[in-house]
Amino acid sequence: MILSPSLLSADFSCLGSECAAMEQAGVTWLHLDVIDGSFAPNITFGTPVISSLRKKTSLFFDVHLMVDQPSRYLDDFARAGADMLVVHMEAETHLQRCLARIRELGMRAGVALNPSTDISSLRWLADDVDMVLLMSVNPGFSGQKFLPMVEGKIQAVRRLLDENGGQEIPVQVDGGVCPENIGRLVTCGADIFVSGSAFFRFPPYDQRLKCFKDAAEQGPLRPAAAACSHWKPRAASV
């Protein structure tokens, strides 16, 4: 199980210190939600913030682009220090080309689906993605409640990937994830979990991370979970 805390819920007055506190607590991933105010109803941050944080932390930067036509910005985010770029299926006309370009730039490539988006197209993308992100709230704001119907969607995506050569592709869940539901999500087939307010509002972070891990009730390590546990930040290997 990997927990990827969402920066949107951190204290923006001291982001460098927040990253240091997460690393000290044992957190290994950081989820960075980039929202343009068009694809989703919010405006967050972009490459300047990511570039600044990259100089201060060795956390794995899990960058989630909730923007229209994300292919316009891939090179910029690569230069800023993203380790993985996740683009929305709904936002990109030529999705396979976009995913291929992300990999060419040396990053992991992820694809995200909104709660109402059908999963069938994933069948044709198994060779092009390193991770599938399933939104369990409608994108835009932190603190929303988990949509229960996404549990069945996680199971369906796990089956689809396994049947199409994607056994080592992890499934990430983003939205409303908390210790009270993470055990069910692991059972459904999820491997990576984004949590914002349910993580940052309950310091100290080492105890909160342990709470999530204990609640996950992890069983045998799935191939996808094993694969992503070895992903390292690009900056750390330079």
Side-chain angles (χ1 to χ4, degrees), residues 65 69-79 82-87 92 94-110 125 127-130 234:
L65 299 184
Q69 301 179 51
S71 56
R72 295 177 292 171
Y73 309 112
L74 305 183
D75 292 62
D76 296 330
F77 282 98
R79 284 191 294 268
D83 297 303
M84 176 164 62
L85 282 185
V86 182
V87 298
E92 186 61 48
H94 303 292
L95 184 56
Q96 190 280 333
R97 179 190 299 166
C98 179
L99 295 168
R101 178 58 181 161
I102 292 171
R103 284 179 165 179
E104 287 174 2
L105 291 167
M107 298 175 287
R108 301 279 179 175
L125 294 172
D127 291 336
D128 300 293
V129 298
D130 296 298
R234 292 189 301 139

Side-chain angles (χ1 to χ4, degrees), residues 217-238:
E217 299 176 354
Q218 300 176 77
L221 195 64
R222 288 188 291 262
C228 63
S229 67
H230 298 295
W231 295 356
K232 301 299 181 184
R234 292 189 301 139
S237 63
V238 174

Side-chain angles (χ1 to χ4, degrees), residues 3-183:
L3 187 70
S4 188
S6 173
L7 191 71
L8 275 187
S9 295
D11 184 346
F12 269 55
S13 69
C14 54
L15 292 182
S17 298
E18 288 277 58
C19 288
M22 283 186 281
E23 281 197 86
Q24 187 173 5
V27 172
T28 56
W29 283 38
L30 179 64
H31 190 82
L32 299 117
D33 288 304
V34 178
I35 310 178
D36 64 358
S38 176
F39 180 80
N42 196 358
I43 297 175
T44 57
F45 50 80
T47 53
V49 169
I50 294 172
S51 181
S52 295
L53 290 177
R54 181 75 287 169
K55 300 169 186 174
K56 295 180 176 294
T57 180
S58 60
L59 291 169
F60 183 90
F61 278 8
D62 163 25
V63 180
H64 180 189
L65 299 184
M66 286 179 272
V67 304
D68 286 324
Q69 301 179 51
S71 56
R72 295 177 292 171
Y73 309 112
L74 305 183
D75 292 62
D76 296 330
F77 282 98
R79 284 191 294 268
D83 297 303
M84 176 164 62
L85 282 185
V86 182
V87 298
H88 267 263
M89 182 175 289
E90 306 88 358
E92 186 61 48
T93 303
H94 303 292
L95 184 56
Q96 190 280 333
R97 179 190 299 166
C98 179
L99 295 168
R101 178 58 181 161
I102 292 171
R103 284 179 165 179
E104 287 174 2
L105 291 167
M107 298 175 287
R108 301 279 179 175
V111 61
L113 287 75
N114 283 337
S116 61
T117 299
D118 187 75
I119 69 171
S120 58
S121 295
L122 291 174
R123 176 185 175 188
W124 311 109
L125 294 172
D127 291 336
D128 300 293
V129 298
D130 296 298
M131 187 188 77
V132 174
L133 185 162
L134 295 180
M135 293 299 300
S136 43
V137 298
N138 288 296
F141 298 94
S142 61
Q144 299 183 65
K145 291 185 178 180
F146 180 89
L147 295 172
M149 59 86 165
V150 177
E151 290 185 19
K153 192 172 186 180
I154 297 168
Q155 295 173 316
V157 167
R158 185 71 271 157
R159 285 194 302 269
L160 186 151
L161 292 173
D162 290 347
E163 292 168 358
N164 290 277
Q167 295 89 346
E168 294 193 352
I169 298 173
V171 175
Q172 183 181 73
V173 181
D174 182 358
V177 176
C178 60
E180 289 72 27
N181 62 19
I182 194 171

Side-chain angles (χ1 to χ4, degrees), residues 194-213:
V194 177
S195 182
S197 56
F199 176 82
F200 283 102
R201 289 181 184 174
F202 298 91
Y205 296 154
D206 58 344
Q207 293 183 20
R208 194 56 172 170
L209 177 61
K210 184 178 185 301
C211 183
F212 272 92
K213 287 186 173 181

